[in-house]
Amino acid sequence: LSRAFPYAGHYVMRTGWDEDALWALVDAGPYGAAHQHEDKLSLELYAYGTRFVVDPGIASYLDDPWTHYARSTAAHSTVQVDKRGQDRRTHVPRERYRVEEPEEALWASSAHLDCLWASYRDGYAGIDLTEGLVHSRLVLFLKPRFWVIWDLLGGQGAHEMETLYHFAPMLVQYSAEEGIVRSNRLGLPNMEFLPLGHPDSVEIACGEQDPVQGWLAMGGKLIPAPTVLYRLQGKLPLAFGVVAAPFKSCVSSGLEVLPLEAEIQVDGTPALRAAVVDREVGRLEIVFADRVCEIVCGEVSAGAQGLIVKRTPDGQVIYIAGLSVRRLSFLGAPLVVGEELKPLIEIEIKSTERV
């Protein structure tokens, strides 16, 4: 169901093959030898028979602004810096268009979750390479409900990080009061984005021509389709993310995102710390940093890059997952010990008396 294709850099996250399955594709691969788009770390999201976040495609190969847009970062669901896109065409030598070895990425998959952590390091148009800009993206699929998508922009100086999500043609709205972006399809499945942080601005562009934004190629033509743009400005590093939660009925997913009080030892780099709460099912606590570090989340501690703790509605720990983990303890009892780095360790807690 879920699969890594490391040489192509394509990663598939899937719950099943039926119409109601949830499915994602992430492109974390090389530039390629033809049909090159500046789209590293872009993704697509499908749920309940509907393609929500899509690759807008290309409608022609004429040398015009529409074709340049279709090939650019602006036409893909990834990150721009200072409204400038990825620039592998300028910065990557031709011998790197194809790869002899897979590009570096953390991939882990199980019945409970899929996780991808990958980076883009090849520069942005018009921005000095000496600033060392690196966009890293976490895509964490908590099966079978939702995705966590978290972006980290590192490097030097002050910049604007702009995260784009291209929707298929449908009504998409932003509630400033809730901070939530949500599709609005009457009587049909929908998807909402719950923010992991506080962007400086949120815009929904559709059918814009100056600059070109909010278009989808279909039947050899470009048609208007909404693009959600989250913007965050400041001195690097900058980090922002969303919980992408589809729902089949009702008016919302029923999820709530809360800040998480978790200790993390990492040298000033932003880390994801959030709790996703479903009042009927329980609470998922998520911590993730850009490197292996010491993490303490309630009764759980780990030497790891990421930690996920699932609790029942009354607060009992029933599941623990460590990502890029060396050590893991619960209630002071060591459960995993060793220096070898393991991509994923999962532990189900059936009784605290037996730990």
Side-chain angles (χ1 to χ4, degrees):
L1 297 176
S2 296
R3 191 81 175 192
F5 298 91
Y7 285 87
H10 287 178
Y11 297 85
V12 178
M13 304 176 176
R14 182 188 293 275
T15 61
W17 293 98
D18 57 294
E19 183 178 282
D20 283 348
L22 274 60
W23 175 90
L25 171 69
V26 189
D27 181 354
Y31 193 35
H35 295 276
Q36 297 151 316
H37 289 194
E38 300 285 4
D39 61 351
K40 188 164 185 183
L41 304 183
S42 186
L43 53 73
E44 300 183 57
L45 301 176
Y46 168 103
Y48 306 126
T50 304
R51 294 180 68 188
F52 286 100
V53 176
V54 300
D55 184 315
I58 192 165
S60 79
Y61 292 97
L62 297 174
D63 187 10
D64 62 21
W66 302 99
T67 301
H68 296 313
Y69 163 76
R71 291 172 170 157
S72 72
T73 306
H76 296 87
S77 297
T78 184
V79 163
Q80 294 194 123
V81 180
D82 301 336
K83 295 183 172 57
R84 299 171 184 265
Q86 299 172 8
D87 195 15
R88 290 180 285 187
R89 182 171 294 276
T90 299
H91 298 138
V92 173
R94 292 186 67 86
E95 57 267 24
R96 278 187 52 210
Y97 285 7
R98 296 180 179 180
V99 295
E100 296 298 325
E101 296 294 334
E103 297 191 346
E104 184 179 358
L106 166 65
W107 166 257
S109 180
S110 75
H112 297 284
L113 63 85
D114 295 326
C115 175
L116 175 67
W117 170 253
S119 298
Y120 171 77
R121 304 174 179 274
D122 290 315
Y124 292 83
I127 300 178
D128 197 323
L129 286 174
T130 61
E131 295 200 31
L133 299 184
V134 178
H135 168 215
S136 298
R137 168 165 277 187
L138 170 70
V139 183
L140 181 62
F141 184 24
L142 282 310
K143 301 174 182 177
R145 289 292 312 279
F146 59 86
W147 290 272
V148 173
I149 307 162
W150 185 69
D151 294 298
L152 174 64
L153 181 64
Q156 303 298 316
H159 294 277
E160 177 188 76
M161 182 175 79
E162 185 178 56
T163 308
L164 301 91
Y165 292 100
H166 290 263
F167 275 76
M170 63 182 69
L171 178 60
V172 177
Q173 299 171 310
Y174 170 61
S175 168
E177 181 179 353
E178 296 177 293
I180 295 175
V181 168
R182 184 182 290 120
S183 68
N184 188 345
R185 306 166 68 233
L186 186 61
L188 295 170
N190 284 288
M191 178 173 284
E192 63 184 11
F193 286 174
L194 296 89
L196 295 163
H198 303 283
D200 293 324
S201 67
V202 182
E203 177 187 353
I204 299 177
C206 187
E208 302 292 335
Q209 299 189 36
D210 187 20
V212 176
Q213 187 54 274
W215 298 88
L216 172 70
M218 187 174 290
K221 299 185 294 184
L222 286 168
I223 63 173
T227 300
V228 181
L229 304 100
Y230 293 97
R231 299 188 180 100
L232 187 64
Q233 291 182 320
K235 186 177 179 181
L236 302 188
L238 296 172
F240 178 74
V242 298
V243 171
F247 52 100
K248 197 172 181 180
S249 59
C250 303
V251 296
S252 76
S253 68
L255 300 179
E256 183 180 9
V257 175
L258 301 173
L260 177 64
E261 295 295 329
E263 299 177 22
I264 185 165
Q265 182 184 339
V266 63
D267 301 331
T269 302
L272 170 62
R273 284 177 277 203
V276 182
V277 180
D278 183 322
R279 288 185 174 82
E280 294 183 3
V281 176
R283 171 185 173 108
L284 269 173
E285 299 173 346
I286 304 164
V287 183
F288 195 89
D290 77 331
R291 71 199 76 172
V292 175
C293 57
E294 295 300 317
I295 302 172
V296 179
C297 184
E299 313 94 304
V300 185
S301 61
Q305 185 173 1
L307 187 62
I308 300 163
V309 179
K310 184 176 183 180
R311 299 178 184 272
T312 61
D314 62 359
Q316 296 297 309
V317 175
I318 56 173
Y319 168 82
I320 303 169
L323 297 162
S324 288
V325 60
R326 285 198 177 99
R327 298 178 305 281
L328 196 152
S329 298
F330 177 59
L331 292 173
L335 304 182
V336 177
V337 180
E339 289 305 313
E340 180 185 353
L341 202 63
K342 301 172 183 64
L344 174 64
I345 291 289
E346 295 179 296
I347 296 168
E348 294 188 45
I349 306 294
K350 297 183 178 180
S351 170
T352 58
E353 295 177 358
R354 296 177 61 190
V355 174

